[in-house]
Amino acid sequence: MSDQPVKPMALALAVAERAAQAGEVPVGAVLVDASGVVLAQTANRVEELADPTAHAELLALREGARQRGRPILDDCDLYVTLEPCAMCAGAIALARIRRLYFGASDPKGGAVEHGSRFFQQPTCHHRPEIYGGIDATRAGALLRRFFADRR
Amino acid sequence: MSDQPVKPMALALAVAERAAQAGEVPVGAVLVDASGVVLAQTANRVEELADPTAHAELLALREGARQRGRPILDDCDLYVTLEPCAMCAGAIALARIRRLYFGASDPKGGAVEHGSRFFQQPTCHHRPEIYGGIDATRAGALLRRFFADRR
């Protein structure tokens, strides 16, 4: 079990890599239940779905809740390759995610360690356990390569 | 045109009232385009859809983007009966909404005037024009009545 945080993140990175090939900003998310079963593996699909809310995290939470038939996922952990933005941090709190593992930090748009630091606000009503920097080098390299290729 | 901010909010309040009757926290949203055409009128449907992200605002943004076939709604205005939370404020910025009109303030969960005050953060990359307190008395009374009835 010692490598448990690594395996879902490796899956999230693979999902992110496929997103890059499809022209989406490469961010991937994996939602697992308490026994480690993968409930959702989702990529950012903002362009494909023409949906400003279709970040990897939001799609994972929605898919997990759909499977469960309820909006609360308090026995679930979310792995995401990039520090969540304000929208996704808010959604993670609303879904009462148990643990959040994220990869690369996002000083420009992140809301966990940067900007609004949402989980530290008094208006945040659920704070997951948070583990940053998981496979961050790979996640960051993937994003940098994607944006370099587009310039 | 002087009453333009009032009419969509009256519609959002009517939508919120129907949500209360269905057992949902009564929040309504209306998305209009630059010429005032209503693109979406949506209520909070978290319980019905078993979706933690199904706040009125998020559903309005998604419906508007679906109609437009693109994730950016920069000529659109959003009316919502309650101060948006962090998730919804983040989504409003991502969709580049032109103007945000909201009703009741939400000191416990709002992210516009309270908590993270997201639109004032350096990690917020689009700030709509913001007008609070529109029909706030009605919006607040509807929420208080809903929660009083449930106690």
Side-chain angles (χ1 to χ4, degrees), chain A residues 46 49-53, chain B residues 29-34 37-43 45 55-79 91-92 94-97:
Chain A
V46 167
L49 299 179
D51 179 349
T53 75
Chain B
V30 169
L31 183 75
V32 301
D33 72 10
V37 173
V38 172
L39 299 180
Q41 43 181 300
T42 51
R45 294 172 72 191
H55 283 191
E57 302 95 309
L58 227 75
L59 296 177
L61 296 174
R62 290 179 55 208
E63 172 58 19
R66 190 194 64 75
Q67 288 181 34
R68 290 290 181 82
R70 63 192 204 105
I72 301 301
L73 299 164
D74 52 4
D75 65 328
C76 295
D77 302 336
L78 185 70
Y79 293 76
I92 287 164
L94 290 167
R96 299 193 207 154
I97 287 295

Side-chain angles (χ1 to χ4, degrees), chain B residues 93-143:
Chain B
L94 290 167
R96 299 193 207 154
I97 287 295
R98 185 177 65 165
R99 295 184 191 127
L100 168 64
Y101 298 90
F102 68 88
S105 282
D106 185 2
K108 287 188 188 165
V112 180
E113 296 178 334
H114 300 93
S116 56
R117 293 174 174 77
F118 176 63
F119 296 115
Q120 298 176 34
Q121 297 290 341
T123 49
C124 173
H125 303 302
H126 172 80
R127 185 183 195 279
E129 289 178 40
I130 300 171
Y131 304 91
I134 314 288
D135 286 358
T137 307
R138 271 188 70 194
L142 181 60
L143 283 157

Side-chain angles (χ1 to χ4, degrees), chain A residues 23-143:
Chain A
E24 301 278 356
V25 174
V27 179
V30 169
L31 183 75
V32 302
D33 72 10
S35 50
V37 173
V38 172
L39 299 180
Q41 43 180 301
T42 51
N44 172 40
R45 295 172 72 191
V46 167
E47 300 302 327
E48 177 198 349
L49 299 179
D51 179 349
T53 75
H55 283 190
E57 302 95 310
L58 227 75
L59 295 177
L61 297 173
R62 291 178 55 207
E63 172 57 19
R66 189 193 65 76
Q67 287 180 35
R68 290 290 181 82
R70 62 192 205 106
I72 301 300
L73 299 164
D74 53 3
D75 65 329
C76 294
D77 302 336
L78 185 69
Y79 294 76
V80 55
T81 57
L82 183 67
E83 180 184 348
C85 74
M87 174 183 73
C88 292
I92 287 163
L94 289 167
R96 298 191 208 157
I97 288 294
R98 184 177 65 167
R99 295 184 191 128
L100 168 64
Y101 299 90
F102 69 88
S105 283
D106 185 4
K108 287 188 189 165
V112 180
E113 296 177 335
H114 300 93
S116 55
R117 292 173 175 78
F118 176 63
F119 296 116
Q120 298 175 35
Q121 297 291 342
T123 49
C124 173
H125 304 302
H126 172 80
R127 186 183 196 280
E129 289 177 40
I130 300 171
Y131 305 91
I134 314 288
D135 286 357
T137 307
R138 269 188 70 193
L142 182 59
L143 283 157

Side-chain angles (χ1 to χ4, degrees), chain B residues 10-36:
Chain B
L11 180 56
L13 279 161
V15 169
E17 273 164 20
R18 288 199 296 275
Q21 288 158 20
E24 300 278 356
V25 174
V27 180
V30 169
L31 183 75
V32 301
D33 72 10
S35 49

